[in-house]
Amino acid sequence: MKYVLRPVTCTPLTRDRDHPENIGLNDVLGNYSLTLIDSLSTLAVLASSARTGSPRENTAWRDFQLGVQLLVEQYGDGTEGPAGQGLRERGFDVDSKVQVFETVIRGVGGLLSSHLFAVGELPVQGYRPPERRIHPSLYELSSSSIDWPDGFRYDGQLLRLALDLGRRLLPAFTSPTGIPYPRVNLKYGIPFYPNSLLHADPEHGECGLDMPESVEITETCSAGAGSLVLELTTLSRLTGDAIFEQVAIQAFWEIWKRRTPLGLVGAGIDADSGGWTSAITGETSSDSFLEIWQLAHAAIKRHVYRDRHHPHYVNVHFRTGSQVTPWVDSLSAYYSGLLTLGGELDEAIESNLLYTALWSRFRALPERWSIADGDVEGGLGWWPGRPELGESTYHLYTATKDPWYLYVGKMILKDIKQRCWTPCGWAGLQDVRTGQLSDRMESFFLGETLKYLFLLFDVDHPLNRLDAPFVMSTEGHPLIVPRPSPGPRQRHASGTGVSSQTLCPRPPPLPPLFFSATAARGDLYHAAGLARLFPGTDLSVDLHSSAEYETPDSPLFPWTLPMTMVPSTATCSAITTQSDFEIQFPHTQSDIFWNPQQSISRVNGGIFVHSLEGIKLGVRMDETLDALGGRTDGRGLLRIHRISGALLAREEKVFMKKGLLTKLLDPNFALVEDATAAELLIAVDSDHERTRLASQDAPLTSEQLNSTSETPTVSTRRPDPGSGDGSRTQDGLDGVGQPLAAAVPVDAKAASSPTAPSSHIYRLPATTATGIGAGPLPDAADSEIDPNGRDEGGVGHLPWQTIYVSGETCERKLADVAATEHQVVVLRRGGCSFARKLANVPSFRPSGRALQLAVVVADGDERVRPLLDEVQRTPAGLARHHPIPLVLVGGGRATVGLLEKATAIGLRKRHYVQSQGMAVANLVVV
């Protein structure tokens, strides 16, 4: 058998030994008959075609058996005796530096899959090897061989060679983190990684005392390093050597535990340090693994998924979720197939449509395509024969049986045959726009692309009807993973509590008198529009008037269906669009070197705006946000998605001081007071907090700026000044509110407050009362916060220093001093209505020293507005001429304890910004 890898010039393709840095070629060509190994399982699949006839006449199966014999002839049978020595090497003892990921998925995976075909565990039509125990051991295989033609006896040679190759890869997993190094030498291991644990003892380590002059980079692809579990677990289960499964699972968890708070992982990671080297992320079995899939899918759907015009995925920063590149690549076409396997069928169908439209336009998938300008990105227009679109199309057809995907497969096959076939093989495309061929045939074209397309059309293939838990690997090799040996089951506790879906969803129902649910989708042409499938075409013109669009053989089919297949009442659904506009503030400075970027800075959770000088805001309509950043149904609001060129993610916010906005007279950017919410500011003597805060030193966070987070604080009891119903609190540690300065004490000058020489300020979100009995908030309720979280005027700026703490106050009137000598009264929620509680507050003459505010403390984190549905009355039943302002806070006993220790209290009104009459949802006024 002769394998030619240069299909244009008809010459072999070999490693570039003169240029070891040419990893684009050398990483893949391992110099161990890779193309043969990667193609064997495809020959086994082709051997089960209904047209192959008897085993003797089955050319594909004979080629499979001959390929196995040739491999054993070159590399031996994997034993330690004379038969283990091949014509070339004993096993894969080759002086060749290979990439670990590619070698596992192509080499180890190809050998394992071919072994399963050889012993009959994966079906081959007409091939019936002797019955044996499921997944026999290596010893059992050696003692009971299978007779093949020409006197060859198969006794597990491929499995033993897979074991040999796997052992040569193990040194790569000896990094300090357990994340595999990207490369390994099949003969000498990893002398070029000095930090490997193998070199901890230079005298007895792998490389001795001599280190190579050149040291390899330790950056590896996180997807590649973390996705080796399938092949290596299968190798462990078939051979009984657990080490492969253990190192693969450890690598997976090491990468997963380094995910960001958004649930995303970066594209690159350093195997030595575990630090991320690339911040870009895009669309990337035990119960734990199923839970991880659900968490990862949820993170992608929230941060990477975009539904503008037509659903697609973008590359985002893994820490912020903001978009960093405007392109999609051909590799991401696999994600539709993964979604199908994961049960997310509707999302899989809609995402697959875009890649189908791109193929229809370019008659292949360019390596990168720009969403922004609709063309090939950065000149990366090659297609090396990648399988991802064929893979997803196969999985979607298997799940839906929708003939749409057969038409898509036919289109792919026709284009490959017309554009890529040469007398010496199948060439890739150097440029999908011009059709220029590349003189290279990748092994994955034979191992994956052709296999998926063949299985797509052979609906009766034994693999398509196999009632067994087999899976197509990363390289398209069918594998059956044996169950683990009996014994204590080791499981990583994920603690997610995510329930796994056990049933696959039903495919979309067929519309009446129509043949395809996908073709009948209302958003079908949205994908074609996003892909610019009809560039320069007037879509108002009847495209069907040209014969070019009338035939299913047209490369534009099935997007432009023949009129005979289009219902007369057919319509498209409305395109999902977002209204964008810009707001630009004037620049009044005379400095010609001034840059608007100087007016903003990154903080945790978003961007802080120091000045509006020359700032340009990109604003977008978002129908899913409310004025405080939560979710709502159907009320369209605005979101800032860009500030002077800096992009914001969906979860990021913009922070501005109120002082920037109060003097701004711009109808497109107006400050509005929120009548429903406020913030309660509480100053506590730092002597109470100093011990707890001594070890904390954190920067200002968005949660603290936005008053939404709650952290534990110490609560201590002081004597109750006299509660009518004697309610008591207890000492404890509960979550009630964030310190304003991010757990860094705010030490106000002694002169600023006679009652608190050194105080720590907390704030709690509060809701204001509503109803006819609600009183207006006092004029003093407007304490500001600086960018560091400090009260602008020190503790003395908080207006109220006398606090009266009571209980539920439902049965008896409070003492007169509660209202006449205290500025704030604290009540517990429950036992009676809010109106009843206020009716037990004594009458008082309004003054600066008398009662200013009533604070009701609820258990938990309640954000409901207190309803005062009747006019406030005094204990004598008379209507109050000056209603008492009331707010509700959460936190229960811990909040009460905090208020008991308070040296001063203030109330800060909440504000938001409106533009064109709509709230800007992600702008936080601080």
mmCIF file with all atom_site columns, all heavy atoms in Angstrom, residues 651-662:
data_model
loop_
_atom_site.group_PDB
_atom_site.id
_atom_site.type_symbol
_atom_site.label_atom_id
_atom_site.label_alt_id
_atom_site.label_comp_id
_atom_site.label_asym_id
_atom_site.label_entity_id
_atom_site.label_seq_id
_atom_site.pdbx_PDB_ins_code
_atom_site.Cartn_x
_atom_site.Cartn_y
_atom_site.Cartn_z
_atom_site.occupancy
_atom_site.B_iso_or_equiv
_atom_site.pdbx_formal_charge
_atom_site.auth_seq_id
_atom_site.auth_comp_id
_atom_site.auth_asym_id
_atom_site.auth_atom_id
_atom_site.pdbx_PDB_model_num
ATOM 1  N N   . GLU A 1 651 ? -22.205 41.320 31.546 1.00 0.00 ? 651 GLU A N   1
ATOM 2  C CA  . GLU A 1 651 ? -22.281 41.419 32.999 1.00 0.00 ? 651 GLU A CA  1
ATOM 3  C C   . GLU A 1 651 ? -21.561 42.643 33.545 1.00 0.00 ? 651 GLU A C   1
ATOM 4  O O   . GLU A 1 651 ? -21.653 42.924 34.740 1.00 0.00 ? 651 GLU A O   1
ATOM 5  C CB  . GLU A 1 651 ? -21.677 40.154 33.621 1.00 0.00 ? 651 GLU A CB  1
ATOM 6  C CG  . GLU A 1 651 ? -22.280 38.858 33.124 1.00 0.00 ? 651 GLU A CG  1
ATOM 7  C CD  . GLU A 1 651 ? -23.765 38.773 33.403 1.00 0.00 ? 651 GLU A CD  1
ATOM 8  O OE1 . GLU A 1 651 ? -24.171 39.183 34.507 1.00 0.00 ? 651 GLU A OE1 1
ATOM 9  O OE2 . GLU A 1 651 ? -24.516 38.308 32.537 1.00 0.00 ? 651 GLU A OE2 1
ATOM 10 N N   . GLU A 1 652 ? -20.816 43.350 32.724 1.00 0.00 ? 652 GLU A N   1
ATOM 11 C CA  . GLU A 1 652 ? -20.039 44.477 33.224 1.00 0.00 ? 652 GLU A CA  1
ATOM 12 C C   . GLU A 1 652 ? -20.893 45.729 33.333 1.00 0.00 ? 652 GLU A C   1
ATOM 13 O O   . GLU A 1 652 ? -21.862 45.907 32.599 1.00 0.00 ? 652 GLU A O   1
ATOM 14 C CB  . GLU A 1 652 ? -18.836 44.733 32.310 1.00 0.00 ? 652 GLU A CB  1
ATOM 15 C CG  . GLU A 1 652 ? -17.770 43.664 32.411 1.00 0.00 ? 652 GLU A CG  1
ATOM 16 C CD  . GLU A 1 652 ? -16.506 44.059 31.680 1.00 0.00 ? 652 GLU A CD  1
ATOM 17 O OE1 . GLU A 1 652 ? -16.581 44.280 30.459 1.00 0.00 ? 652 GLU A OE1 1
ATOM 18 O OE2 . GLU A 1 652 ? -15.445 44.153 32.322 1.00 0.00 ? 652 GLU A OE2 1
ATOM 19 N N   . LYS A 1 653 ? -20.488 46.602 34.239 1.00 0.00 ? 653 LYS A N   1
ATOM 20 C CA  . LYS A 1 653 ? -21.220 47.830 34.505 1.00 0.00 ? 653 LYS A CA  1
ATOM 21 C C   . LYS A 1 653 ? -20.325 49.040 34.317 1.00 0.00 ? 653 LYS A C   1
ATOM 22 O O   . LYS A 1 653 ? -19.106 48.938 34.294 1.00 0.00 ? 653 LYS A O   1
ATOM 23 C CB  . LYS A 1 653 ? -21.796 47.803 35.927 1.00 0.00 ? 653 LYS A CB  1
ATOM 24 C CG  . LYS A 1 653 ? -22.858 46.733 36.142 1.00 0.00 ? 653 LYS A CG  1
ATOM 25 C CD  . LYS A 1 653 ? -23.371 46.755 37.567 1.00 0.00 ? 653 LYS A CD  1
ATOM 26 C CE  . LYS A 1 653 ? -24.569 45.827 37.722 1.00 0.00 ? 653 LYS A CE  1
ATOM 27 N NZ  . LYS A 1 653 ? -24.218 44.424 37.420 1.00 0.00 ? 653 LYS A NZ  1
ATOM 28 N N   . VAL A 1 654 ? -20.963 50.181 34.203 1.00 0.00 ? 654 VAL A N   1
ATOM 29 C CA  . VAL A 1 654 ? -20.274 51.462 34.125 1.00 0.00 ? 654 VAL A CA  1
ATOM 30 C C   . VAL A 1 654 ? -20.575 52.228 35.412 1.00 0.00 ? 654 VAL A C   1
ATOM 31 O O   . VAL A 1 654 ? -21.741 52.372 35.794 1.00 0.00 ? 654 VAL A O   1
ATOM 32 C CB  . VAL A 1 654 ? -20.748 52.275 32.905 1.00 0.00 ? 654 VAL A CB  1
ATOM 33 C CG1 . VAL A 1 654 ? -20.049 53.635 32.870 1.00 0.00 ? 654 VAL A CG1 1
ATOM 34 C CG2 . VAL A 1 654 ? -20.472 51.511 31.619 1.00 0.00 ? 654 VAL A CG2 1
ATOM 35 N N   . PHE A 1 655 ? -19.527 52.693 36.073 1.00 0.00 ? 655 PHE A N   1
ATOM 36 C CA  . PHE A 1 655 ? -19.687 53.405 37.338 1.00 0.00 ? 655 PHE A CA  1
ATOM 37 C C   . PHE A 1 655 ? -19.357 54.880 37.142 1.00 0.00 ? 655 PHE A C   1
ATOM 38 O O   . PHE A 1 655 ? -18.308 55.234 36.602 1.00 0.00 ? 655 PHE A O   1
ATOM 39 C CB  . PHE A 1 655 ? -18.767 52.806 38.405 1.00 0.00 ? 655 PHE A CB  1
ATOM 40 C CG  . PHE A 1 655 ? -18.972 51.329 38.614 1.00 0.00 ? 655 PHE A CG  1
ATOM 41 C CD1 . PHE A 1 655 ? -18.073 50.412 38.105 1.00 0.00 ? 655 PHE A CD1 1
ATOM 42 C CD2 . PHE A 1 655 ? -20.076 50.864 39.301 1.00 0.00 ? 655 PHE A CD2 1
ATOM 43 C CE1 . PHE A 1 655 ? -18.247 49.051 38.285 1.00 0.00 ? 655 PHE A CE1 1
ATOM 44 C CE2 . PHE A 1 655 ? -20.267 49.508 39.486 1.00 0.00 ? 655 PHE A CE2 1
ATOM 45 C CZ  . PHE A 1 655 ? -19.361 48.599 38.979 1.00 0.00 ? 655 PHE A CZ  1
ATOM 46 N N   . MET A 1 656 ? -20.287 55.751 37.592 1.00 0.00 ? 656 MET A N   1
ATOM 47 C CA  . MET A 1 656 ? -20.083 57.201 37.528 1.00 0.00 ? 656 MET A CA  1
ATOM 48 C C   . MET A 1 656 ? -20.503 57.831 38.851 1.00 0.00 ? 656 MET A C   1
ATOM 49 O O   . MET A 1 656 ? -21.517 57.423 39.442 1.00 0.00 ? 656 MET A O   1
ATOM 50 C CB  . MET A 1 656 ? -20.910 57.831 36.397 1.00 0.00 ? 656 MET A CB  1
ATOM 51 C CG  . MET A 1 656 ? -20.498 57.435 34.989 1.00 0.00 ? 656 MET A CG  1
ATOM 52 S SD  . MET A 1 656 ? -21.454 58.387 33.758 1.00 0.00 ? 656 MET A SD  1
ATOM 53 C CE  . MET A 1 656 ? -20.895 57.600 32.245 1.00 0.00 ? 656 MET A CE  1
ATOM 54 N N   . LYS A 1 657 ? -19.747 58.827 39.267 1.00 0.00 ? 657 LYS A N   1
ATOM 55 C CA  . LYS A 1 657 ? -20.140 59.570 40.465 1.00 0.00 ? 657 LYS A CA  1
ATOM 56 C C   . LYS A 1 657 ? -21.326 60.480 40.151 1.00 0.00 ? 657 LYS A C   1
ATOM 57 O O   . LYS A 1 657 ? -21.427 61.044 39.050 1.00 0.00 ? 657 LYS A O   1
ATOM 58 C CB  . LYS A 1 657 ? -18.968 60.386 40.975 1.00 0.00 ? 657 LYS A CB  1
ATOM 59 C CG  . LYS A 1 657 ? -17.846 59.548 41.555 1.00 0.00 ? 657 LYS A CG  1
ATOM 60 C CD  . LYS A 1 657 ? -16.716 60.408 42.071 1.00 0.00 ? 657 LYS A CD  1
ATOM 61 C CE  . LYS A 1 657 ? -17.189 61.294 43.203 1.00 0.00 ? 657 LYS A CE  1
ATOM 62 N NZ  . LYS A 1 657 ? -16.079 62.060 43.803 1.00 0.00 ? 657 LYS A NZ  1
ATOM 63 N N   . LYS A 1 658 ? -22.174 60.620 41.122 1.00 0.00 ? 658 LYS A N   1
ATOM 64 C CA  . LYS A 1 658 ? -23.358 61.457 40.924 1.00 0.00 ? 658 LYS A CA  1
ATOM 65 C C   . LYS A 1 658 ? -22.979 62.896 40.602 1.00 0.00 ? 658 LYS A C   1
ATOM 66 O O   . LYS A 1 658 ? -23.668 63.586 39.843 1.00 0.00 ? 658 LYS A O   1
ATOM 67 C CB  . LYS A 1 658 ? -24.240 61.409 42.170 1.00 0.00 ? 658 LYS A CB  1
ATOM 68 C CG  . LYS A 1 658 ? -25.634 61.995 41.936 1.00 0.00 ? 658 LYS A CG  1
ATOM 69 C CD  . LYS A 1 658 ? -26.463 61.990 43.188 1.00 0.00 ? 658 LYS A CD  1
ATOM 70 C CE  . LYS A 1 658 ? -25.986 63.018 44.165 1.00 0.00 ? 658 LYS A CE  1
ATOM 71 N NZ  . LYS A 1 658 ? -26.884 63.194 45.320 1.00 0.00 ? 658 LYS A NZ  1
ATOM 72 N N   . GLY A 1 659 ? -21.845 63.343 41.148 1.00 0.00 ? 659 GLY A N   1
ATOM 73 C CA  . GLY A 1 659 ? -21.420 64.705 40.897 1.00 0.00 ? 659 GLY A CA  1
ATOM 74 C C   . GLY A 1 659 ? -21.163 64.999 39.427 1.00 0.00 ? 659 GLY A C   1
ATOM 75 O O   . GLY A 1 659 ? -21.275 66.137 38.984 1.00 0.00 ? 659 GLY A O   1
ATOM 76 N N   . LEU A 1 660 ? -20.785 63.952 38.653 1.00 0.00 ? 660 LEU A N   1
ATOM 77 C CA  . LEU A 1 660 ? -20.577 64.149 37.230 1.00 0.00 ? 660 LEU A CA  1
ATOM 78 C C   . LEU A 1 660 ? -21.882 64.428 36.498 1.00 0.00 ? 660 LEU A C   1
ATOM 79 O O   . LEU A 1 660 ? -21.886 65.046 35.426 1.00 0.00 ? 660 LEU A O   1
ATOM 80 C CB  . LEU A 1 660 ? -19.915 62.916 36.598 1.00 0.00 ? 660 LEU A CB  1
ATOM 81 C CG  . LEU A 1 660 ? -18.443 62.643 36.906 1.00 0.00 ? 660 LEU A CG  1
ATOM 82 C CD1 . LEU A 1 660 ? -18.014 61.353 36.227 1.00 0.00 ? 660 LEU A CD1 1
ATOM 83 C CD2 . LEU A 1 660 ? -17.576 63.804 36.448 1.00 0.00 ? 660 LEU A CD2 1
ATOM 84 N N   . LEU A 1 661 ? -22.976 63.965 37.068 1.00 0.00 ? 661 LEU A N   1
ATOM 85 C CA  . LEU A 1 661 ? -24.240 63.960 36.348 1.00 0.00 ? 661 LEU A CA  1
ATOM 86 C C   . LEU A 1 661 ? -25.223 65.026 36.797 1.00 0.00 ? 661 LEU A C   1
ATOM 87 O O   . LEU A 1 661 ? -26.132 65.379 36.064 1.00 0.00 ? 661 LEU A O   1
ATOM 88 C CB  . LEU A 1 661 ? -24.901 62.579 36.498 1.00 0.00 ? 661 LEU A CB  1
ATOM 89 C CG  . LEU A 1 661 ? -24.049 61.391 36.027 1.00 0.00 ? 661 LEU A CG  1
ATOM 90 C CD1 . LEU A 1 661 ? -24.664 60.095 36.496 1.00 0.00 ? 661 LEU A CD1 1
ATOM 91 C CD2 . LEU A 1 661 ? -23.915 61.405 34.518 1.00 0.00 ? 661 LEU A CD2 1
ATOM 92 N N   . THR A 1 662 ? -25.058 65.543 38.029 1.00 0.00 ? 662 THR A N   1
ATOM 93 C CA  . THR A 1 662 ? -26.058 66.469 38.556 1.00 0.00 ? 662 THR A CA  1
ATOM 94 C C   . THR A 1 662 ? -26.109 67.779 37.772 1.00 0.00 ? 662 THR A C   1
ATOM 95 O O   . THR A 1 662 ? -27.169 68.392 37.630 1.00 0.00 ? 662 THR A O   1
ATOM 96 C CB  . THR A 1 662 ? -25.765 66.766 40.031 1.00 0.00 ? 662 THR A CB  1
ATOM 97 O OG1 . THR A 1 662 ? -24.394 67.151 40.166 1.00 0.00 ? 662 THR A OG1 1
ATOM 98 C CG2 . THR A 1 662 ? -26.058 65.553 40.892 1.00 0.00 ? 662 THR A CG2 1
#
